[in-house]
């Protein structure tokens, strides 16, 4: 039974709505717990520039602090957003708190210590309050063992909170859920509302903590031989839930926090400091969180501000620092590349100024009015977006967050269009075309960059000719600024969401353990083509119709100029489109990356599929790393065979393409193939993919239930009658389809069957050449499905001379209408045709011609083959193929049916 588009009784897209309703209902209840006159507002989790040593490895390698925010700006932000008490919880130090105390401020001492959990081999944060400078030194020393740290804190009545309980610092997703049993014993207070986390983690934390009964805690304590009293935990008291903004940039500080209830507050404030009263309430557990969770939007804004400040503040970390720092070689290589990009960003005057303006806008400062007239017309839209962001700073938090995120998305779209326009204005394609470098053959031969560093850094001539040698230098100069802007905008989106979902496997396991709030199971299938005239489109259209008819938990997404959304089909408009060389008019459309990322996020998808090697490949891999989801590739095309059929490229040159494909396919968590030969090739020596990651699938045969109107052969050929033998082929008319074998096959067969006819349906770049070689063939052009079905039902044999196709949908279409087929004994046809049962498998044009002659000379076999062809088509049933496909994707297969809905 195939999976339907519902999870736990919810239609797709409603997962996040259900989380929002549940969490907001909780916050609404908490907001009325205490009388306003008896409460103080405290943001229990915020940072400034003294969080100067990040926990993230890459930040330490690059020598970057977590923020450059001055303490005075943080305090101003906290006051502006309604905080009654001030604390600064920097990582592993309270320097900012001591400085503020020295300056005469009333401050609650606080810090966020990174503690090591020895048996789990992970690090977790512990928010700590109300300690002295001397106690800070002891706590810092004891953080190497969380048990010692918490016992010391309990002994000295230093209250602690476990922040973002589902977020740890570990490289393993195999987190033992027994860890949370120990948390239940070791902590009395848990941060349930974190302004930089998303609804899913917050709601999971809420439901887990609220489910901790005294019986459970006592059972966990006994199981793990821990005494709750050692950690200041009373199993009989309800767990305490807190809130904090976790702000690092001085943008959201104070918008989330905790209401602290102090009896007779107004009277006590006359003689006692707010910080002392706040500490009393924290110790007593008289707290309730306040604020909103904004999914990844706030973290996206924070990281954009962070990247903007990096662009203006980064210093060269030094090659030796990178090489000698602790970490894997891959981390060091990535940091080396990232540092070069960031330093180049800083070196570029335009980029540096732009990101300084971004930082100012996020702080509410509009660009100078004169700037608009000093900026090139092509980039004045950037000023408009910065003004929108700055103006929104004075609005409510929700409006500001929404405005900034929409502005970022629109800015990315406009910058992308500038990049595309500059590429088009450079007329690179024309210049390469004039030199012969833009043909498939030349691109195959010259797809290389020099290995000699000076060849690409200093322009030193290389022995070999590369595609990078021509017309690129000037274009790179023109693209540096917009490409850097686009990269930072896309990078901030990726990094913010990745930070939330880097432990997605664990979150799913935790939800399953909890028995609620499990993420939806739903796949987004990206394709560069769906409405073009080619076999891939026919296959995908058939798959879409099956998904729609059975409401399977998969949606397709295509980038197209005029198509409209349907149930299970998203359509986005391309930023630009151009025609591929040697393609017979095939268009390549450039999608909007962040628009698709938004669709993926809002649609509640948890895996992605890509079925073409065009721009959507880059989008699919971006989504994979952004959301930390499984990513699959559906292999429709044999590019090595295509190059072999259409170019004179040598084996060495084809191997270069093969290695590129190996790198590409290895990035996916699974690859679907349409024939056994491709499966063996991908898992063999040349491609070396894991056998467990390569799935054999198939396209399904069409369901022929509607009556088909026959076509008389005499309507196609004036000299034909019902007994005239007529061959049929339907395909794209291009060289790789093997159609140039047809003249030889026809000539050979006509020596024995002089009245043999040929009908050709389709169009393509080789059409005119083929017409000249086969002047008496009937060329139908691209025909509709009804006419195609009539030809299948009325003609005698389907001829399929392609060695390029990975499957051969047309074979199943022919079989479904009772038309036997003849093809070469190669991948694709070999898996479909049963030799001398439903058709024939041959080795070359000579054998194909001989077999055609034999077939028409044996009437009894012709009748039997028609029946066998229909039977073979029945083997490729949509139900069987789609069920296995859904299973291989890892989607559930037993969810109940719901009414279809448009994803428009």
């Amino acid at each position: 039974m195939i999976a339907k588009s519902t999870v736990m009784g919810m239609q797709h897209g409603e997962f996040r709505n259900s989380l929002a309703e549940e969490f907001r209902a909780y916050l609404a209840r908490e907001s009325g717990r205490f009388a306003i006159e008896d409460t103080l507002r405290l943001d229990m989790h915020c940072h400034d520039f003294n969080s100067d040593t990040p926990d993230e490895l890459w930040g330490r390698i690059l020598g970057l602090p977590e923020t450059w925010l001055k303490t005075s700006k943080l305090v101003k932000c906290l006051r502006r957003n309604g905080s009654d008490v001030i604390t600064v919880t920097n990582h592993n130090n309270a320097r900012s708190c001591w400085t503020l105390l020295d300056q005469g401020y009333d401050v609650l001492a606080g810090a966020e210590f990174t503690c090591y959990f020895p048996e789990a081999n992970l690090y977790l944060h512990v928010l700590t309050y109300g300690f002295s400078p001397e106690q800070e030194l002891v706590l810092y020393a004891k953080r190497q063992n969380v048990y010692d740290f918490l016992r010391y804190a309990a002994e000295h009545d230093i209250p602690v909170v476990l922040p973002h309980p589902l977020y740890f610092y570990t490289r393993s997703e195999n987190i033992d859920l027994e860890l949370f049993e120990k948390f239940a014993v070791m902590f009395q207070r848990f941060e349930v509302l974190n302004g930089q986390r998303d609804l899913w983690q917050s709601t999971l934390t809420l439901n887990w903590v609220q489910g901790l009964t005294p019986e459970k805690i006592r059972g966990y304590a006994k199981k793990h031989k821990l005494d709750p009293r050692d950690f200041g935990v009373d199993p009989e008291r309800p767990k305490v839930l807190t809130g904090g903004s976790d702000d690092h940039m001085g943008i959201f500080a104070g918008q989330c926090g905790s209401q602290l209830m102090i009896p007779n507050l107004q009277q006590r404030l006359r003689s006692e400091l707010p910080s002392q009263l706040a500490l009393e309430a924290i110790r007593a557990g008289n707290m309730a969180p306040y604020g909103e969770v904004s999914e990844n939007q706030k973290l996206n804004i924070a990281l954009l501000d962070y990247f903007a400040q990096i662009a203006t503040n980064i210093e060269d970390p030094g090659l030796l620092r990178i090489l000698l720092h602790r970490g894997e070689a891959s981390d060091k290589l990535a940091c080396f590349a990232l540092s070069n990009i960031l330093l180049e960003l800083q070196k570029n005057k335009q980029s540096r100024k732009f990101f300084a303006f971004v930082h100012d806008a996020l702080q509410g400062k509009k660009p100078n009015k004169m700037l608009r007239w000093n900026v090139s017309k092509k980039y004045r839209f950037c000023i408009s977006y910065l003004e929108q962001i700055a103006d929104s700073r004075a609005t409510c938090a929700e409006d500001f967050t929404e405005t900034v995120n929409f502005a970022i998305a629109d800015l990315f779209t406009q910058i992308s269009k500038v990049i595309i326009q500059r590429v088009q204005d450079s007329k690179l394609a024309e210049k390469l075309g004039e030199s012969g470098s833009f043909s498939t053959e030349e691109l195959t031969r010259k797809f290389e960059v020099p290995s000699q560093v000076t060849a690409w850094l200093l322009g030193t001539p290389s022995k070999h000719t590369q595609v990078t040698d021509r017309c690129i230098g000037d274009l790179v100069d023109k693209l540096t600024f917009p490409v850097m802007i686009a990269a930072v905008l896309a990078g901030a989106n990726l990094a913010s969401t990745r930070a939330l979902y880097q432990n997605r496997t664990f979150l799913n396991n935790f939800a399953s353990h909890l028995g609620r709030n499990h993420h939806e199971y739903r796949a987004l299938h990206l394709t560069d083509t769906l409405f073009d005239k080619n076999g891939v489109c026919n296959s995908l259209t058939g798959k879409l119709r099956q998904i729609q008819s059975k409401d399977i938990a998969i949606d397709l997404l295509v980038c197209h100029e005029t198509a409209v959304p349907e149930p299970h089909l998203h359509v986005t408009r391309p930023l630009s489109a151009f025609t591929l060389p040697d393609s017979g008019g095939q268009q390549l459309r450039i999608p909007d990356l962040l628009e698709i990322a938004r669709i993926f996020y809002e649609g509640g998808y948890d895996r992605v599929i890509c079925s073409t090697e065009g721009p959507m490949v880059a989008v699919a891999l971006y989504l994979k790393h952004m959301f930390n989801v499984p990513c699959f590739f559906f292999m429709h095309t044999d590019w090595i065979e295509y190059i072999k059929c259409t170019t004179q490229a040598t084996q060495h040159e084809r191997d270069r393409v093969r290695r590129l494909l190996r790198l590409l396919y290895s990035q996916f968590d699974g690859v679907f193939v349409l024939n056994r030969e491709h499966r063996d090739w991908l898992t063999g020596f040349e491609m070396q993919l894991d056998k467990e990651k390569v799935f054999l699938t198939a396209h399904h045969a069409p369901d022929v239930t509607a009556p088909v109107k026959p076509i008389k052969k005499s309507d196609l050929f004036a000299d034909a009658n019902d007994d005239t033998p007529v061959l049929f082929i339907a395909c794209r008319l291009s060289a790789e389809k093997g159609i140039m074998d047809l003249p030889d096959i026809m000539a050979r067969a006509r020596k024995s069957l002089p009245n043999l006819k040929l009908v050709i349906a389709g169009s393509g770049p080789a059409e005119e050449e083929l017409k000249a070689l086969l002047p008496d063939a009937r060329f139908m052009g691209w025909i509709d499905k009804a006419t195609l079905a009539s030809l299948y039902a009325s003609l005698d044999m389907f001829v399929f001379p392609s060695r390029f196709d990975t499957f051969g949908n047309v074979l199943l279409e022919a079989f479904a209408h009772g038309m036997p087929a003849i093809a070469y004994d190669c991948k694709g046809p070999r898996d479909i045709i049963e030799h001398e049962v439903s058709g024939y498998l041959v080795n070359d044009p000579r054998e194909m011609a001989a077999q055609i002659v034999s077939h028409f000379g044996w009437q009894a076999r012709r009748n039997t083959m028609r029946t066998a062809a229909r039977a073979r088509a029945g083997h490729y049933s949509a139900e069987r193929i789609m069920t296995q496909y859904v299973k291989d994707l890892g989607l559930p297969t037993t969810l109940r049916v719901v009414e279809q809905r448009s994803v428009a």
Side-chain angles (χ1 to χ4, degrees), residues 57-58 61 171 322 325-334:
L57 177 62
W58 286 18
I61 293 176
R171 293 210 160 194
I322 293 174
H325 203 286
R326 184 175 57 188
E328 301 292 334
S330 58
D331 293 312
K332 297 176 183 180
L333 182 62

Side-chain angles (χ1 to χ4, degrees), residues 725-797:
V726 182
L727 302 177
F728 179 49
I729 179 171
C731 68
R732 184 170 175 271
L733 302 185
S734 54
E736 75 276 6
K737 293 290 188 176
I739 58 172
M740 304 317 293
D741 286 355
L742 290 174
D744 183 26
I745 294 167
M746 290 298 292
R748 290 176 182 272
R750 278 176 172 166
K751 292 178 181 179
S752 301
L753 293 171
N755 61 339
L756 182 66
K757 306 294 184 182
L758 175 63
V759 175
I760 300 174
S763 59
E767 184 173 356
E768 295 305 317
E769 181 181 1
L770 194 60
K771 283 181 177 179
L773 294 171
L774 291 169
D776 55 351
R778 177 66 184 268
F779 286 82
M780 305 290 292
W782 200 267
I783 57 178
D784 59 48
K785 290 187 177 181
T787 305
L788 185 62
S790 296
L791 291 170
Y792 282 132
S794 304
L795 304 184
D796 299 302
M797 172 177 274

Side-chain angles (χ1 to χ4, degrees), residues 200-215:
W200 190 23
Q201 295 188 41
S202 299
T203 309
L204 283 171
T205 301
L206 172 65
N207 287 320
W208 168 65
V209 175
Q210 289 187 331
L212 293 175
T213 63
E215 293 75 21

Side-chain angles (χ1 to χ4, degrees), residues 12 95 146 192 273 302 319 386 527 555 620 637 688 841 891:
H12 75 276
R95 291 194 296 268
V146 69
V192 71
L273 293 173
L319 182 60
L386 292 176
T527 176
D555 295 332
T637 305
Q688 300 180 342
L841 294 170
L891 294 170

Side-chain angles (χ1 to χ4, degrees), residues 674-675 697-699 800 805-809 811-812 828-829 832 876:
L674 292 162
N675 60 75
T697 186
H699 298 312
F800 191 70
D805 285 71
T806 56
F807 188 72
N809 272 340
L811 294 174
L812 291 182
I832 300 172
Y876 290 86

Side-chain angles (χ1 to χ4, degrees), residues 181-196:
E181 298 175 356
K182 296 178 182 179
F183 286 170
V185 177
M186 298 166 67
F187 288 93
Q188 188 70 36
R189 306 169 193 87
F190 296 86
E191 182 187 69
V192 71
L193 173 58
N194 182 295
Q196 302 298 314

Side-chain angles (χ1 to χ4, degrees), residues 26-278:
Y26 161 73
L27 289 177
R29 293 193 301 270
E30 291 296 290
S31 67
R33 276 183 61 192
F34 308 126
I36 295 177
E37 61 271 17
D38 285 336
T39 59
L40 294 171
R41 287 164 64 98
L42 169 65
D43 184 343
M44 298 182 68
H45 193 174
C46 55
H47 303 262
D48 67 14
F49 74 101
N50 275 313
S51 281
D52 50 5
T53 304
D55 286 312
E56 291 80 3
L57 177 62
W58 286 18
R60 296 199 304 274
I61 293 176
L62 294 173
L64 294 172
E66 287 203 346
T67 178
W68 287 267
L69 177 66
K70 294 180 180 179
T71 308
S72 58
K73 288 190 174 181
L74 173 62
V75 172
K76 184 177 179 181
C77 183
L78 288 167
R79 292 299 191 198
R80 183 173 63 245
N81 288 321
S83 291
D84 300 310
V85 183
I86 300 298
T87 188
V88 186
T89 54
N90 285 322
H91 289 300
N92 300 316
N93 74 85
R95 291 194 296 268
S96 295
C97 293
W98 308 138
T99 300
L100 287 171
L101 284 168
D102 290 342
Q103 294 173 353
Y105 285 87
D106 176 41
V107 175
L108 173 63
E112 185 176 24
F113 288 97
T114 302
C115 299
Y116 183 62
F117 210 112
E119 66 267 39
N121 192 27
L122 56 77
Y123 292 89
L124 68 155
H125 288 169
V126 181
L127 290 169
T128 312
Y129 307 94
F131 50 84
S132 67
E134 295 75 21
Q135 290 173 326
E136 178 190 1
L137 298 176
V138 179
L139 289 166
Y140 184 87
K142 290 185 177 293
R143 72 187 184 90
Q144 301 304 322
N145 186 303
V146 69
Y147 293 101
D148 295 341
F149 182 95
L150 294 177
R151 288 188 176 106
Y152 177 84
E155 181 182 349
H156 293 83
D157 200 18
I158 299 172
V160 296
V161 176
L162 180 63
H164 42 72
L166 303 184
Y167 182 78
F168 318 102
Y169 290 92
T170 176
R171 293 210 160 194
S172 173
E173 288 194 346
N174 298 318
I175 299 171
D176 191 340
L177 293 179
E178 288 190 352
L179 176 69
F180 287 84
E181 298 175 356
K182 296 178 182 179
F183 286 170
V185 177
M186 298 166 67
F187 288 93
Q188 188 70 36
R189 306 169 193 87
F190 296 86
E191 182 187 69
V192 71
L193 173 58
N194 182 295
Q196 302 298 314
R197 300 292 130 187
D198 76 326
L199 271 171
W200 190 23
Q201 295 188 41
S202 299
T203 309
L204 283 171
T205 301
L206 172 65
N207 287 320
W208 168 65
V209 175
Q210 289 187 331
L212 293 175
T213 63
E215 293 75 21
K216 283 185 179 180
I217 297 171
R218 288 194 296 269
Y220 295 153
K222 182 177 181 181
K223 176 181 178 180
H224 298 290
K225 299 179 180 179
L226 295 172
D227 188 344
R229 293 171 296 181
D230 291 347
F231 308 103
V233 174
D234 182 356
E236 303 303 321
R237 290 176 55 198
K239 296 296 186 183
V240 178
L241 300 178
T242 73
S245 69
D246 202 2
D247 181 79
H248 289 65
M249 300 299 150
I251 298 175
F252 302 109
Q255 291 182 7
C256 295
S258 299
Q259 299 178 81
L260 311 180
M261 195 279 290
I262 301 97
N264 302 314
L265 173 63
Q266 301 306 317
Q267 180 178 350
R268 295 182 64 183
L269 282 174
R270 297 172 186 170
S271 58
E272 298 177 71
L273 293 173
S275 61
Q276 295 174 342
L277 297 175

Side-chain angles (χ1 to χ4, degrees), residues 798-860:
F798 191 84
V799 57
F800 191 70
S802 173
R803 298 182 186 274
F804 160 73
D805 285 71
T806 56
F807 188 72
N809 272 340
V810 285
L811 294 174
L812 291 182
E813 291 173 6
F815 284 178
H817 292 87
M819 176 183 277
I822 185 167
Y824 291 135
D825 188 8
C826 61
K827 65 179 185 301
R830 184 182 295 150
D831 287 356
I832 300 172
I833 297 174
E834 305 156 299
H835 183 55
E836 295 187 340
V837 178
S838 54
Y840 305 96
L841 294 170
V842 297
N843 294 309
D844 53 43
R846 181 185 59 81
E847 286 189 20
M848 187 169 286
Q851 194 66 71
I852 289 170
V853 172
S854 174
H855 176 77
F856 284 106
W858 194 347
Q859 181 63 43

